[in-house]
Amino acid sequence: NVFDISSGDFLVRALNQICPERFSVSRIHRNLSMEDTVPRIENLNTLLKNLILFYEESLDYTIVTKLPDIRAIAIQPQSYISHQELAKVFKLILGIAFQCDNRSIYIEKTQQLNEQLQKDIMSNLLDLTDSFNIMVSNAFDPSGVDKNVVDTQCLNLHVALHNLATERNEIHEKFIRTAQERDEYIMIQQFQQNSRGRRSTVSGNESFSDREGVASRPTTPSYQTEISELRAKLNSYEDDMYVLIYFYLFSIFATFSTYVFLF
């Protein structure tokens, strides 16, 4: 069920089974309905933050690909965009399953699947582990190449890429948090207006000042402007990372070409 998956509850519980010492289910909202958009976003945001931390702290990798759009997953679970973003999440979870301490269990289970499913899983794993477009190792160690041969620019680009990813993640977290605050504010406003409407219907007499107060109250204080600015900044970081990854790969290629030529 796509809706159940998009709530985040199922995915967090799956990660808890894969690696219980790192993924807790204690702060997860459960039994959510289609109207529970804010709790679903909170679940998915918790999931994404834990995924990023696991790759950085346990696997020593930094995720440099564009982060999954968890708001699209939570708000439009049946949409094509949501399915694409969920595929990104599944790929990251798959990487954890096959690199955690219990990986032998999942390797054995995979071997019991039909041949096509095994090929699909292996294709996704190779795409995840062998592509610099998705994640890069935190330890720069180009397969035993003498550090004196490694170009300084390559090392600098490696550091810059990790720093940029860290800053991108911070902006992403702030964007999600601000958007959540905006959504919660709108929900409160709507609840208050509905309450006033019910009271006025019962009393049959709503004062002009009450109507004017509701009409003049701002819908979303400064949230919309801040959200737009954060989204623009986030897109800018993603563009910068894309360009930096290109130069990083080019620099690595040049370094290895030099190494092969010299030896």
Side-chain angles (χ1 to χ4, degrees):
N1 186 304
V2 176
F3 174 76
D4 290 338
I5 294 174
S6 68
S7 71
D9 175 25
F10 171 83
L11 295 174
V12 174
R13 284 189 285 116
L15 276 170
N16 177 254
Q17 290 187 2
I18 293 171
C19 192
E21 65 273 11
R22 290 302 304 269
F23 296 98
S24 171
V25 296
S26 60
R27 296 185 177 182
I28 295 301
H29 303 284
R30 302 188 179 187
N31 303 319
L32 302 177
S33 68
M34 187 64 187
E35 289 72 32
D36 297 323
T37 302
V38 172
R40 289 207 307 277
I41 293 174
E42 289 178 352
N43 281 353
L44 291 167
N45 192 39
T46 298
L47 169 72
L48 183 58
K49 287 193 293 185
N50 286 334
L51 284 172
I52 292 171
L53 281 175
F54 187 89
Y55 272 94
E56 289 182 349
E57 296 178 357
S58 298
L59 302 180
D60 208 23
Y61 280 99
T62 294
I63 297 172
V64 296
T65 189
K66 187 174 183 179
L67 296 176
D69 188 344
I70 59 176
R71 289 184 59 81
I73 296 173
I75 295 172
Q76 299 175 310
Q78 302 291 345
S79 68
Y80 175 72
I81 293 177
S82 175
H83 294 172
Q84 285 186 312
E85 300 306 308
L86 272 174
K88 296 178 184 178
V89 176
F90 286 141
K91 184 176 290 188
L92 293 173
I93 293 176
L94 191 64
I96 290 177
F98 282 82
Q99 295 183 80
C100 69
D101 293 340
N102 299 323
R103 56 185 174 274
S104 59
I105 297 174
Y106 301 102
I107 292 173
E108 182 179 348
K109 288 184 177 181
T110 301
Q111 292 172 341
Q112 297 171 2
L113 301 173
N114 66 59
E115 185 177 350
Q116 185 56 51
L117 278 175
Q118 289 188 45
K119 287 182 178 179
D120 291 341
I121 290 173
M122 289 307 300
S123 175
N124 278 281
L125 282 173
L126 289 173
D127 185 39
L128 182 67
T129 57
D130 294 350
S131 174
F132 283 102
N133 294 327
I134 298 179
M135 61 185 187
V136 296
S137 172
N138 291 335
F140 189 86
D141 184 17
S143 302
V145 176
D146 189 336
K147 297 300 185 294
N148 294 323
V149 179
V150 177
D151 188 81
T152 302
Q153 183 183 17
C154 189
L155 291 169
N156 290 340
L157 286 170
H158 182 265
V159 173
L161 186 57
H162 285 280
N163 291 341
L164 199 60
T166 300
E167 293 173 11
R168 185 274 310 269
N169 294 344
E170 291 173 355
I171 295 296
H172 181 270
E173 172 63 20
K174 188 174 182 181
F175 168 75
I176 294 297
R177 186 171 62 250
T178 304
Q180 280 183 274
E181 291 174 0
R182 187 272 313 272
D183 294 344
E184 291 171 352
Y185 179 86
I186 291 175
M187 290 174 60
I188 292 172
Q189 291 293 95
Q190 290 175 343
F191 175 78
Q192 291 176 343
Q193 290 181 18
N194 291 338
S195 297
R196 292 190 189 92
R198 286 193 295 270
R199 288 200 301 271
S200 65
T201 300
V202 173
S203 64
N205 182 24
E206 182 182 9
S207 69
F208 176 77
S209 60
D210 287 338
R211 294 195 303 272
E212 184 179 31
V214 171
S216 62
R217 186 177 292 107
T219 306
T220 51
S222 59
Y223 288 131
Q224 200 56 48
T225 300
E226 186 176 0
I227 288 171
S228 297
E229 291 175 350
L230 287 170
R231 187 187 295 276
K233 187 178 292 187
L234 189 59
N235 290 337
S236 177
Y237 269 90
E238 298 288 3
D239 292 341
D240 290 345
M241 288 184 68
Y242 179 82
V243 173
L244 196 58
I245 289 170
Y246 172 81
F247 282 109
Y248 179 61
L249 292 176
F250 179 80
S251 181
I252 289 176
F253 176 77
T255 297
F256 276 91
S257 297
T258 302
Y259 177 74
V260 171
F261 177 77
L262 291 175
F263 294 91

